[in-house]
Amino acid sequence: MAETQSVDIDFDHGFSHDIYKSLSEVTSRVHCVWLVKEWGGKSQGGITVHNQMGWLEDHVTCHIATFRDAGVRYFRRILVFLELDQVNDLVVESADHLAKVHQAKINFVGYLGPDANKVMAERLEDYLQFTVDKVSAPARYAVIDGETKEAALVTASIENDLLLLRSERHHTGWARMFGTRQDRLIEKAACSVVSLQAYVDGSDPTQQTS
């Protein structure tokens, strides 16, 4: 990766009795912009009452990318899920960057539920078109529908290599124990998935010195 992408990659190993505390301290000390972690799946622990990953996600001072690898070697078609009335800047910027790196095309999608009306549909299409015009990578948009958002996205993921979406940051105690609808979506998606959580304490880690 270092050679193909012309980037510097360093590897450091360490020992800790509390990996979550150590990760929090390291990301703060070296002014990390991103923390990238593998999606463990609920059957492997995930975010539960016995696992402090939920605490870590609420305390690290950087953006977090959670990656679920579906074994896709090349990312040529990137599916990006956007929702109205949400802050999607990090997702859009990340999709644009990844598309340039992998010479990929972006498919922005928004979901309309069974109860959606014409006004909602027009607002969503306007927003998606605005986003397509905003990025520099080749992009298009589509509106997907179905009984549930998760089922519609799973179907849409079949024809794509990578799904990007905004992380559900705030979870109830029940969701921490048994998983969220987004956890089930990530698990069932036909392609690889990256869930993005923006750092929102009032400062932008991308302006820090790395």
Side-chain angles (χ1 to χ4, degrees), residues 6 11 15 26 42 58 62 66 69 76 90 101 108 125 128 145-146 149 153 164 168 170 172 184 199 210:
S6 299
F11 173 79
F15 301 93
V26 169
K42 302 311 297 177
D58 289 335
C62 62
T66 303
D69 184 8
R76 296 291 182 252
L90 183 66
V101 170
F108 290 108
E125 289 207 34
L128 292 172
D145 55 22
K149 173 178 64 179
L153 280 169
L164 261 67
E168 294 180 346
H170 300 294
T172 64
R184 291 185 282 277
Y199 176 53
S210 58

Side-chain angles (χ1 to χ4, degrees), residues 9-167:
I9 297 179
D10 294 324
F11 173 79
D12 292 318
H13 68 277
F15 301 93
S16 174
H17 294 292
D18 189 340
I19 187 174
Y20 306 103
K21 181 180 179 182
S22 297
L23 281 172
S24 179
E25 291 175 349
V26 169
T27 56
S28 178
R29 184 174 68 250
V30 302
H31 305 295
C32 288
V33 175
W34 286 94
L35 169 64
V36 180
K37 64 184 182 71
E38 181 183 13
W39 182 77
K42 302 311 297 177
S43 62
Q44 300 179 32
I47 303 171
T48 71
V49 293
H50 304 297
N51 190 317
Q52 293 179 312
M53 188 59 76
W55 176 89
L56 179 67
E57 291 179 345
D58 289 335
H59 289 81
V60 292
T61 55
C62 62
H63 302 316
I64 301 176
T66 303
F67 178 60
R68 181 222 162 197
D69 184 8
V72 180
R73 186 171 182 180
Y74 300 107
F75 299 137
R76 296 291 182 252
R77 293 165 296 182
I78 300 176
L79 180 67
V80 182
F81 175 61
L82 302 177
E83 294 187 87
L84 284 172
D85 305 320
Q86 297 283 356
V87 180
N88 297 303
D89 292 356
L90 183 66
V91 176
V92 174
E93 292 167 5
S94 299
D96 197 23
H97 173 72
L98 288 172
K100 294 173 186 174
V101 170
H102 295 279
Q103 299 181 333
K105 296 180 179 179
I106 304 173
N107 299 316
F108 290 108
V109 296
Y111 170 73
L112 282 181
D115 299 328
N117 56 40
K118 183 178 179 180
V119 174
M120 294 170 63
E122 290 177 349
R123 284 188 62 214
L124 180 58
E125 289 207 34
D126 287 345
Y127 175 62
L128 292 172
Q129 183 61 63
F130 170 80
T131 306
V132 167
D133 295 339
K134 183 179 179 180
V135 299
S136 56
R140 63 181 182 180
Y141 79 86
V143 175
I144 57 176
D145 55 22
E147 288 298 317
T148 67
K149 173 178 64 179
E150 291 74 28
L153 280 169
V154 168
T155 299
S157 71
I158 295 173
E159 298 181 352
N160 291 272
D161 304 312
L162 179 67
L163 167 63
L164 261 67
L165 70 166
R166 183 176 179 269
S167 175

